[in-house]
Amino acid sequence: SGKRNELNTSSETTKSTNLASVLNSIAEQIGQVVINEGGYDQQFYKLPETTSAVVFQVEDLEKGKSNTLQWNLADLDPSKVEFDTYRKEVRIDLKTRKNEDYIQERTDNIPSVYTDKLSIQAQDIESARLLVKLFKEGIDLARKAYKDPFSEAYPNPSIEQALAYCQKSIEEV
């Protein structure tokens, strides 16, 4: 296995404030990666009409195998975004919060399975560092964009407030 690297973003450049611009920056960094005679053709984009639902498509050029993964950026764990190197490969590994299977994966159009992790190939270590920074920033912005009416109304709820909210929110069947 390769050498693990994590990026300390505290000394990085100033953060973007717009989730859409962060997602565009991620998409610009992801593309075709050539490794020896093989490589990967990759695409990343946000689903239209959503705030933070994204799609990552990758084709293994040597094996002719393609994967499509779809997830909500807010479901990823920012502490589990890191890059790894192995021989000539540099990849970004992403995992979901609490290792929940929230990432939908289709391989060569075979019906979907769900997983808790994915990897994206990077051109080089500098690109991997930038992608780690952008993903961490994007996850943070996606979590902020996700509106949870209960936590907004009650930042530090008591049991009574939680019970009253649940009773008010759930209709009798």
Side-chain angles (χ1 to χ4, degrees):
S1 143
K3 180 178 157 190
R4 275 273 171 216
N5 297 289
E6 286 196 53
L7 177 65
N8 177 358
T9 58
S10 62
S11 64
E12 288 295 319
T13 58
T14 58
K15 291 189 172 205
S16 300
T17 55
N18 182 321
L19 179 58
S21 69
V22 171
L23 292 173
N24 286 337
S25 295
I26 291 171
E28 289 171 6
Q29 291 296 313
I30 295 175
Q32 190 172 66
V33 176
V34 177
I35 303 167
N36 296 329
E37 288 80 45
Y40 302 91
D41 193 11
Q42 307 172 117
Q43 291 182 342
F44 177 90
Y45 57 91
K46 182 180 85 63
L47 285 174
E49 309 297 322
T50 69
T51 302
S52 55
V54 296
V55 174
F56 172 64
Q57 295 175 315
V58 58
E59 181 179 356
D60 184 323
L61 299 174
E62 192 173 359
K63 297 177 183 173
K65 188 176 178 181
S66 66
N67 281 8
T68 301
L69 298 105
Q70 182 177 324
W71 72 94
N72 189 313
L73 206 56
D75 291 331
L76 295 180
D77 185 339
S79 70
K80 295 180 181 174
V81 177
E82 50 193 14
F83 73 91
D84 189 19
T85 59
Y86 179 72
R87 296 187 185 167
K88 293 186 178 189
E89 290 188 28
V90 181
R91 72 172 187 264
I92 295 87
D93 295 322
L94 306 157
K95 294 182 183 175
T96 59
R97 293 177 183 273
K98 300 181 184 176
N99 299 319
E100 295 286 344
D101 291 340
Y102 290 146
I103 302 169
Q104 181 184 36
E105 180 177 9
R106 288 188 314 274
T107 304
D108 294 327
N109 294 320
I110 295 172
S112 298
V113 298
Y114 286 83
T115 183
D116 66 342
K117 61 187 171 210
L118 71 128
S119 294
I120 297 173
Q121 300 294 324
Q123 291 286 349
D124 53 39
I125 289 175
E126 289 308 312
S127 178
R129 285 187 176 129
L130 178 57
L131 279 166
V132 167
K133 173 192 169 292
L134 289 168
F135 270 109
K136 286 183 176 188
E137 188 175 329
I139 292 165
D140 183 50
L141 291 169
R143 297 285 297 171
K144 288 177 182 169
Y146 179 76
K147 300 295 182 202
D148 178 0
F150 179 73
S151 63
E152 281 187 359
Y154 305 101
N156 296 305
S158 67
I159 292 174
E160 292 79 17
Q161 287 173 318
L163 184 58
Y165 178 83
C166 289
Q167 289 171 338
K168 183 178 128 186
S169 300
I170 299 173
E171 294 180 22
E172 231 177 278
V173 179

